[in-house]
Amino acid sequence: MIFEQIPTGGCQSYLVGCEATRAAVLIDPEFSQIDRYVGLAGQLGLHVRYIVDTHTHADHFSASHELQKLLPAPVVMHRLSPAPYADLRLDDGDMLIVGELRLQALHTPGHTGDSMCLVMADRVFTGDTLLIGGTGRTDLPTGDPHALFESLFDKLLKLPREMLVYPAHDYKGRTHSTIGDEIDANPRLQKTDRAEFVAMMQSLDLSAPTHLTEALRTNMSGGKTVAQLLAEASAKVPFMSLAELHSRIGGNSRDIVILDLREKDAFEAGHIPGARHLPRGQLELRVNSELLDPTVRILACCEFGKISTLAAATLRELGFTRAVALDGGLTAWREAGYELEA
């Protein structure tokens, strides 16, 4: 067996391949590592047959939807997953065949309603159901401490004690555990009475994941993250440096329209000399009346350079093919000591 564990912060992904056939499965891929997964599979001569998400992640962005198109390979999730891009939906007990490898699905709800684990001959990929020294939380959407108790004590902990445990998260640099070690030493698993376990889970005072709403939105729907939108826009537009714009203003250049996309109060408090005001929220509705010449060079600017990047991409799509964005925005302009006018 070919086995690669790919950590990303506290997230853990796994590339598991059959040595004889070079078929492979990729488990719980994280969005920022897309190029790494593709490169690693190529380096090892593996053909990824399945991309598996063990559940709908709420604390990071799944790479499954993008890898589905890049590799390409079908996305596998439990049948209760809300993700519309899942190609293959598994029931409890269903099995994936990857060359000579076999991975059996265990439906283990609790952390989420669609949580599942994948059991191989000597190891189990537990997603967020069972962690090293802990368990998945149950206070996020579709979480249920009663269901988690049953998933742990009626299913996972009945696996052989020597079975290796590979979770989807670990924040202390640990790579794996065993079922026996978790039974013996995991503090949460010492609560073997259902009522005590449920009370413990309900009393946990955990902060919400940083990207909770965005992660759920994108992982449940296949929608795009803000970072994706910015990356796509950045690939469609060129940028202008602060020094270049400053020199053009100093030379009284008339071949460029500076378009300030901030709100009115921010614009009136101070803007780049000669800039025209057009709030981003009104861009599409007013562009034809405000920008009469589609051949003119337009420099879009905002406070930090992000909204202007999106706006410049929109302008190019609308036919203003010379639109550019200011690198760094008004914040960088001020920090460089360049003048503003009110």
Side-chain angles (χ1 to χ4, degrees):
M1 179 174 63
I2 300 167
F3 183 79
E4 294 287 338
Q5 186 172 19
I6 304 108
T8 309
C11 301
Q12 300 287 345
S13 303
Y14 303 92
L15 180 63
V16 186
C18 171
E19 199 153 7
T21 66
R22 316 311 288 183
V25 57
L26 180 58
I27 301 170
D28 285 329
E30 198 272 339
F31 189 83
S32 69
Q33 300 297 312
I34 286 177
D35 290 341
R36 186 177 178 186
Y37 301 132
V38 175
L40 185 59
Q43 177 186 338
L44 296 172
L46 296 175
H47 173 64
V48 177
R49 295 287 304 277
Y50 299 108
I51 305 162
V52 180
D53 269 334
T54 55
H55 62 288
T56 301
H57 300 284
D59 55 357
H60 67 272
F61 305 113
S62 170
S64 294
H65 189 35
E66 290 300 311
L67 288 168
Q68 178 186 50
K69 297 173 282 187
L70 285 174
L71 289 172
V75 172
V76 181
M77 298 187 75
H78 186 264
R79 67 175 180 84
L80 295 181
S81 167
Y85 54 85
D87 301 297
L88 181 59
R89 297 176 181 273
L90 302 183
D91 263 307
D92 186 64
D94 286 351
M95 186 170 64
L96 296 177
I97 297 178
V98 183
E100 297 178 356
L101 305 177
R102 303 292 187 269
L103 298 90
Q104 186 176 29
L106 286 183
H107 184 210
T108 53
H111 174 61
T112 63
D114 65 344
S115 289
M116 66 177 181
C117 299
L118 295 175
V119 183
M120 296 183 68
D122 67 340
R123 65 197 64 197
V124 55
F125 300 95
T126 57
D128 283 11
T129 299
L130 176 61
L131 307 177
I132 300 174
T135 66
R137 60 196 295 171
T138 58
D139 59 334
L140 299 178
T142 75
D144 182 345
H146 292 276
L148 182 61
F149 179 86
E150 294 171 1
S151 294
L152 290 168
F153 289 96
D154 295 344
K155 287 188 175 181
L156 272 180
L157 301 186
K158 292 186 180 298
L159 294 172
R161 286 180 58 89
E162 65 273 14
M163 181 159 283
L164 301 173
V165 172
Y166 286 94
H169 290 283
D170 189 79
Y171 298 94
K172 297 182 179 180
R174 299 166 296 190
T175 59
H176 66 281
S177 180
T178 66
I179 292 293
D181 287 343
E182 294 309 307
I183 290 174
D184 295 339
N186 189 318
R188 293 188 187 176
L189 300 185
Q190 307 315 303
K191 302 288 187 182
T192 57
D193 176 78
R194 176 193 286 264
E196 291 183 359
F197 180 86
V198 169
M200 172 190 65
M201 296 303 297
Q202 291 177 334
S203 67
L204 296 176
D205 186 18
L206 303 174
S207 58
T210 304
H211 302 290
L212 173 63
T213 300
E214 190 176 19
L216 285 175
R217 172 179 62 78
T218 57
N219 294 338
M220 291 175 69
S221 68
K224 295 180 179 180
T225 66
V226 173
Q228 281 178 273
L229 292 175
L230 283 169
E232 291 174 3
S234 296
K236 297 176 182 177
V237 301
F239 294 82
M240 183 174 288
S241 70
L242 302 173
E244 176 66 18
L245 177 58
H246 186 258
S247 68
R248 287 175 177 271
I249 293 174
N252 294 316
S253 175
R254 297 180 180 274
D255 68 344
I256 189 167
V257 173
I258 304 170
L259 203 61
D260 193 317
L261 300 155
R262 298 174 300 159
E263 295 302 316
K264 183 179 180 181
D265 56 348
F267 177 80
E268 292 180 345
H271 52 266
I272 294 171
R276 295 167 59 175
H277 182 230
L278 180 55
R280 175 63 185 91
Q282 300 177 28
L283 179 65
E284 289 85 350
L285 298 178
R286 291 174 51 190
V287 66
N288 291 328
S289 59
E290 296 286 341
L291 302 171
L292 302 180
D293 183 0
T295 67
V296 71
R297 193 174 191 184
I298 302 168
L299 179 128
C301 63
C302 65
E303 191 60 43
F304 300 106
K306 295 182 178 180
I307 291 174
S308 57
T309 300
L310 296 169
T314 297
L315 286 168
R316 286 193 167 234
E317 290 175 359
L318 290 172
F320 295 89
T321 57
R322 298 182 67 198
V324 300
L326 179 63
D327 183 24
L330 269 293
T331 296
W333 182 267
R334 290 191 205 92
E335 291 174 352
Y338 294 139
E339 68 275 17
L340 294 172
E341 65 180 22

